[in-house]
Amino acid sequence: MQIKETTNEGLSRAYEVVISAADIASRIDAEVKKIAPQVKMPGFRPGKVPANLVKKMHGEQLHAQTVNDVIRESVDNLMKEKALRPAMQPAVDLAEGYEEGKDATLTVELEILPVVETPDIEGLKLERLTVPVSDEQVEESLKSIADQQKSYKDAAKTKKAGDGDQLIIDFVGSIDGEEFEGGKAEDAPLVIGSGQFIPGFEEQLTGAKTGDEKTITVTFPEDYPAENLKGKDAQFAITVKQVKVEAETKLDDDFATSLGLDSLDKLKELLKGQLEQETNGLTRTQMKRQLLDQLAAGHDFEVPSKMVDAEFEQIWAQLQQEAAKDENPEDALKEIEAEKDDYRGIAERRVRLGLLLSEIGQKNGVEVTQQEMSMLIQQAAQQYNEADRERFMQYVQQEPMAAAQLRAPLYEDKVVDFLFEKADVTEREVTKEELEAAIEADEAAEEAKAKKPAAKKKAPAKKAPAKKPAAKKAAAKKPAAKK
């Protein structure tokens, strides 16, 4: 293998790698000898097929596979020989006009990681803003759960259904006298005012009593999922089998038991823990921002442009999604478009901080264990259907860059935890609103460091590991009368 450096500018490197035809041919011959004992051919005993015939039968396939293997090994050897630390997957191209029997010429282009001076982690000072969870907050959460677990009891037969009351109904839907698929149900629960059914359905049942039979007419919305029902007028023959009213939910041990817990005290303890976990997450976010600001101060080294591009694409994709949900999507898109350069500045700052954290982690022995990595892969695989999970896991295990992307967020969190332990931390109690305001102020500071005008604060996009889109699940069938 011959190596010639063609570019050496900043963090950019490019090489021309020549693999001799003799080397490729010898690899193919070795592969022929390896598979020959397994080849079967009429007129020859197993394992006795001549090498030249094996090569004639499988030569094209063997050549293609061998070239791929040689290219991969050559790139690996290049990285080792030149002691290169690629920032992203190198771009490798085989020169045009290559054919069997000729030398293979490769062009390898990449960006390398910069040499980062290990930041001084002595003297870090952080403030932890804590939010105590009050009994009132626990009671509010308890009431919220009770509202979600509403139960109903039979009302008197003279009771007229009103908002919040539940009806148990049978219905049959038809259009122009013909029943349609999905328009029929028995013992269907309907809560007046819930908006569970299409517009006009529930309203026409207000005032109904147990035993009533009536026919109502409704119009399916133009955006209704079923094509054959969009915008159509339909008649529903309805029998009200029972009117029910909301039963009082007693917040006692029996209620907790119905949720699978031993007692009401245990339920309150669980809710308090969940509230604490929520506020602890906000506390960690605010502390991490303080930490990153201190680390970023005084470090302004060159970062790989392709890493910045990848980070920016993640930020930009999320901003576009948020803009699309805005009341005026066109104006929102124009606003972020005008600030595009500023968001690229944020991306560059985040890449630089990521490299700083990586350097600190390596110098201080922070590691992601094999067990932790296996758990990460298994968790990521859950987004795929069962048939694709095994292929995804094999892909991550075979592709170092894919594994690195999956590993990066956990590694960063472990480095941050290590620095929290090293830092001088003071605590201060605040309200949840004060904590959220502190996080917003830190977000504005991040934008300011990227030279973003402070006219309007906007939450920056969060980082996320690259992953393939999850397979969509089939929607469960519902009666056509429902949304």
Side-chain angles (χ1 to χ4, degrees), residues 127-133 137 271-288 416-417 420 427-428 430-432 435-436 439:
E127 183 180 44
R128 179 184 285 115
L129 304 182
T130 61
V131 180
V133 176
Q137 288 175 295
L271 292 175
K272 185 175 183 179
Q274 291 175 341
L275 290 169
E276 288 174 343
Q277 187 175 10
E278 179 185 341
T279 55
N280 288 344
L282 294 174
T283 294
R284 178 185 172 81
T285 296
Q286 198 271 336
M287 279 185 68
K288 183 177 178 180
V416 167
D417 288 336
F420 283 168
E427 291 194 4
R428 176 162 63 94
V430 295
T431 64
K432 186 177 180 181
L435 176 56
E436 290 172 340
I439 292 174

Side-chain angles (χ1 to χ4, degrees), residues 145-173:
I145 291 177
D147 288 341
Q148 296 171 16
Q149 301 289 326
K150 286 181 180 178
S151 60
Y152 296 86
K153 62 182 179 180
D154 292 349
K157 291 186 177 181
T158 56
K159 161 70 177 173
K160 294 182 178 181
D163 276 354
D165 293 336
Q166 184 187 66
L167 281 67
I168 305 300
I169 60 175
D170 292 346
F171 63 81
V172 178

Side-chain angles (χ1 to χ4, degrees), residues 285-305:
T285 296
Q286 198 271 336
M287 279 185 68
K288 183 177 178 180
R289 291 185 184 277
Q290 292 179 61
L291 174 66
L292 296 181
D293 282 345
Q294 291 186 43
L295 291 177
H299 293 88
D300 190 21
F301 51 85
E302 183 183 6
V303 295
S305 61

Side-chain angles (χ1 to χ4, degrees), residues 19-210:
I19 307 166
S20 70
D23 185 20
I24 296 173
S26 66
R27 292 285 295 269
I28 293 175
D29 289 341
E31 194 64 25
V32 168
K33 290 180 181 179
K34 182 180 176 181
I35 70 169
Q38 286 83 43
V39 174
K40 295 181 180 180
M41 183 181 290
F44 295 93
R45 287 183 296 164
K48 299 298 182 179
V49 180
N52 63 323
L53 290 180
V54 174
K55 195 170 183 179
K56 186 176 181 180
M57 290 174 60
H58 303 284
E60 187 175 340
Q61 180 181 350
L62 286 172
H63 175 255
Q65 183 61 50
T66 300
V67 170
N68 285 335
D69 292 344
V70 169
I71 289 175
R72 185 174 61 253
E73 291 175 14
S74 298
V75 173
D76 290 343
N77 291 335
L78 169 65
M79 299 299 133
K80 292 176 184 176
E81 184 173 326
K82 298 296 183 180
L84 300 173
R85 298 194 304 159
M88 303 282 282
Q89 189 74 35
V92 182
D93 287 313
L94 179 63
E96 290 185 12
Y98 170 74
E99 58 186 37
E100 188 172 358
K102 291 184 178 181
D103 293 346
T105 301
L106 311 177
T107 57
V108 182
E109 297 179 353
L110 70 153
E111 283 186 302
I112 61 171
L113 292 172
V115 177
V116 180
E117 182 180 347
T118 305
D120 184 9
I121 61 175
E122 299 298 327
L124 289 172
K125 294 184 181 295
L126 301 173
E127 183 180 44
R128 179 184 285 115
L129 304 182
T130 61
V131 180
V133 176
S134 66
D135 291 341
E136 290 77 10
Q137 288 175 295
V138 175
E139 290 297 329
E140 285 179 11
S141 294
L142 191 60
K143 185 178 183 303
S144 177
I145 291 177
D147 288 341
Q148 296 171 16
Q149 301 289 326
K150 286 181 180 178
S151 60
Y152 296 86
K153 62 182 179 180
D154 292 349
K157 291 186 177 181
T158 56
K159 161 70 177 173
K160 294 182 178 181
D163 276 354
D165 293 336
Q166 184 187 66
L167 281 67
I168 305 300
I169 60 175
D170 292 346
F171 63 81
V172 178
S174 60
I175 295 177
D176 296 332
E178 297 289 333
E179 291 186 23
F180 55 87
E181 184 179 358
K184 183 177 183 179
E186 294 182 354
D187 296 328
L190 178 154
V191 177
I192 301 293
S194 67
Q196 182 184 9
F197 284 64
I198 62 176
F201 198 105
E202 295 168 15
E203 291 83 347
Q204 295 183 64
L205 292 177
T206 300
K209 302 189 299 296
T210 298

